[in-house]
Structures are given as C-alpha cells and as structure tokens.
C-alpha cells in the first residue's frame, strides 16, 4: 500500500487508538527493554521491577529508577512522539495508550493518553498511597512521604502487579471501539497491552504496526511499516 492510500485510510478513520512501547523512545536515547542492548540484558527484571525486589532492597530499586530518570531527564521527544501528538489534534476521538513511563509523550504535547504502566516522575507512598511528583535523580535523596512519613516507591506498575482498573478500562474500551489502531515500538509480548491490537482487530479495526522488527502483532496487522517510529510516523499524515 503506498503512502497516499495510508493517508486516505487515516482520513476515513474517526476513532483512533495509538499503542506505544519503548521503541518510540529509542530515538530519544532511552534504552528499550528487550532490544539487542535492552535494559533487561543488563539487569534481571525480577531483581528490580517487582514488589518483592523493592521489599528486599528498596535502595537498589530506587538507584535503578534514579539512574533511568537521569537518562530520561536528558532526553527530548523525537519526531515519533511529536507525530502522535499531531495526530491527536486531528481527531476528536483519539486515545494514546502508552506502556512507557518516561513522560516524553506528554512533553511532546500528547494530552489524550493513558500511561498504563505509570510514570517514572511520580512516587507513591507504600503506607498511605499518596502520589507525589518526584524528580529526584539521586536515590539517596528520596525522602519519606510528605503526608504520613511512610516509605515512597516509584509510581510504576511492576511485574506481577495489576494495572489500576481505570487505566485498564479506558484502554480496553478504546480498543473495542476504534476503527483504526496504530501500534508503534512495542514487542507486543507484555500483557495486558499486548492484547489491545487483538481486541481492536476483533472489533473490526484496521491495524497499522510500526516497528524495526516483526512482533506477534505483525501476524494480525493489516499493514506492517518496517522502520523507525521517528521516520515512519510523521509520514502517516504529512
Ligand atoms: N522504532 C520502532 N520500533 C523500535 C525502535 C524504533 N526506533 N527501536 C526499537 N523498536 C522496537 C523493537 O523492535 C521492539 O519490538 O520496539 C520494541 C521494544 O520492545 P520492548 O523493549 O520489549 O519494550 P516494550 O514493548 O515497551 O515492553 C513492554 O515490558 O518490561 C516491561 O514495563 C516494561 O513497558 C515495558 C513493557
């Protein structure tokens, strides 16, 4: 299908959902999780991104998240993020569901978004659940909860934890009612985000996948656009 047809397809659509993963932030210099130099190559997820790991060694977990914050704090949104924010402005019925916690979609101007795995720039009290903005880059300066003095944890969803129902419901209902879904920069293996394209497909949506590699989603994608998000996404509407 040539780009003119893709643009036509986008023009005809009226309910758009975009699902993104770490690949959309790769060109901003943020390592992905499972790519050739992915984060999980250097760390075992179980040792860092689980409630058990935090209970066992909160300093180690905070050290890893503050290290990631350091990388993210130097990162800028790339043309892929900007393109998604531009797409949002062209449709009334639009939702971005991102698995990323880096906050770059918001920085690029996306407003209609669900950060299903939370946000690295927030901390949550394990005692009273208060959520605070937290931009600390040095884990040794992470203080207690300002409300109750309890220990704070990164306000992100860890392996084995449920995604808050409000976020999940908005993502699933949008997938069930969209007529076009763009899936960009995700390996499509972590649930429940990995189910969204299958739900949309079943509901009759047209699925466009943007990735440098094929994924389990490629089998059901109506259109697989091989390439970097920063190169491919701006071409979808310009
Ligand atoms: N453009 C498009 N796709 C890219 C690019 C790029 N520039 N760079 C990498 N990719 C693709 C890779 O081919 C891969 O399919 O992005 C995907 C990144 O996959 P993962 O590293 O598995 O990231 P993601 O899919 O977001 O992981 C989901 O797993 O560890 C958890 O919570 C973490 O949110 C994360 C979730």
């Amino acid at each position: 299908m040539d780009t003119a047809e893709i643009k036509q397809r986008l023009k005809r659509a009226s309910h758009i959902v975009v699902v993104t993963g770490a690949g959309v932030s790769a060109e901003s210099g943020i390592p992905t999780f499972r790519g050739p130099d992915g984060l999980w190559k250097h760390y075992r997820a179980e040792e860092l991104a689980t409630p058990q790991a935090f209970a066992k060694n909160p300093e180690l977990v905070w050290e890893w998240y503050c290290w990631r914050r350091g990388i993210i704090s130097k990162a800028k949104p790339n043309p892929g993020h900007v393109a998604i924010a531009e797409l949002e402005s062209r449709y009334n019925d639009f939702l971005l569901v991102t698995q990323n916690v880096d906050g770059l979609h918001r920085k690029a101007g996306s407003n209609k978004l669900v950060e299903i795995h939370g946000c690295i720039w927030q901390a949550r009290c394990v005692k009273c659940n208060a959520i605070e903005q937290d931009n600390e880059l040095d884990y040794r300066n992470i203080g207690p909860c300002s409300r109750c003095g309890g220990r704070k944890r990164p306000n992100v969803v860890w392996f084995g934890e449920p995604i808050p129902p409000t976020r999940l419901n908005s993502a699933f209902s949008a997938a069930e009612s969209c007529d076009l879904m763009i899936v960009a920069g995700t390996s499509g293996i972590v649930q429940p985000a990995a189910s969204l394209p299958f739900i949309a497909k079943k509901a009759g949506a047209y699925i466009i996948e943007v990735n440098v590699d094929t994924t389990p989603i490629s089998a059901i994608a109506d259109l697989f656009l091989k390439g970097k998000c920063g190169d491919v996404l701006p071409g979808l509407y310009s």
Side-chain angles (χ1 to χ4, degrees):
M1 177 183 276
D2 64 21
T3 37
E5 282 173 278
I6 298 174
K7 289 177 188 167
Q8 267 312 316
R9 176 74 63 172
L10 270 158
K11 263 213 182 85
R12 281 203 311 270
S14 47
H15 307 268
I16 304 251
V17 171
V18 179
V19 177
T20 63
V24 79
S25 294
E27 291 150 86
S28 298
I30 298 175
T32 61
F33 291 95
R34 293 170 188 84
D37 53 355
L39 281 173
W40 296 137
K41 286 263 176 316
H42 308 289
Y43 301 93
R44 283 169 41 75
E46 297 67 30
E47 284 164 358
L48 292 161
T50 64
Q52 296 75 12
F54 187 74
K56 199 168 111 218
N57 190 340
E59 287 73 23
L60 172 67
V61 173
W62 265 121
E63 187 175 357
W64 188 60
Y65 276 91
C66 286
W67 170 74
R68 285 178 63 197
R69 283 180 174 178
I71 296 174
I72 292 167
S73 63
K74 300 186 191 79
K76 299 220 177 336
N78 65 59
H81 294 108
V82 174
I84 292 168
E86 174 57 35
L87 266 179
E88 172 185 318
S89 69
R90 296 180 178 216
Y91 294 89
N92 291 329
D93 190 322
F94 176 98
L95 185 68
L96 164 61
V97 180
T98 186
Q99 301 171 85
N100 300 340
V101 299
D102 57 35
L104 288 187
H105 281 302
R106 277 188 200 285
K107 261 194 176 164
S110 288
N111 295 301
K112 295 181 183 170
L113 83 160
V114 177
E115 292 166 310
I116 54 166
H117 291 166
C119 178
I120 201 166
W121 299 111
Q122 288 178 347
R124 187 173 82 238
C125 176
V126 296
K127 217 159 114 203
C128 72
N129 269 327
I131 294 174
E132 304 176 358
Q133 276 312 105
D134 185 303
N135 302 323
E136 186 53 59
L137 302 182
D138 182 341
Y139 72 98
R140 289 163 299 196
N141 299 336
I142 298 283
C145 166
S146 46
R147 193 162 76 179
C148 77
R151 180 182 285 282
K152 294 192 299 191
R153 56 163 279 179
N155 190 29
V156 295
V157 178
W158 281 327
F159 290 106
E161 291 187 320
I163 289 176
T166 38
R167 293 182 212 163
L168 210 53
N169 297 339
S170 358
F172 274 56
S173 49
E176 281 155 5
S177 56
C178 70
D179 52 13
L180 189 142
M181 177 180 276
I182 299 170
V183 188
T186 179
S187 55
I189 51 177
V190 174
Q191 295 298 348
S195 302
L196 295 172
F198 294 85
I199 292 167
K201 180 81 180 178
K202 198 157 161 261
Y206 187 83
I207 311 292
I208 298 176
E209 183 181 27
V210 179
N211 202 309
V212 291
D213 260 337
T214 54
T215 72
I217 295 161
S218 311
I220 58 137
D222 296 288
L223 183 63
F224 177 75
L225 298 173
K226 185 175 172 68
K228 292 185 173 181
C229 287
D231 298 335
V232 174
L233 290 171
L236 290 184
Y237 60 84
S238 52

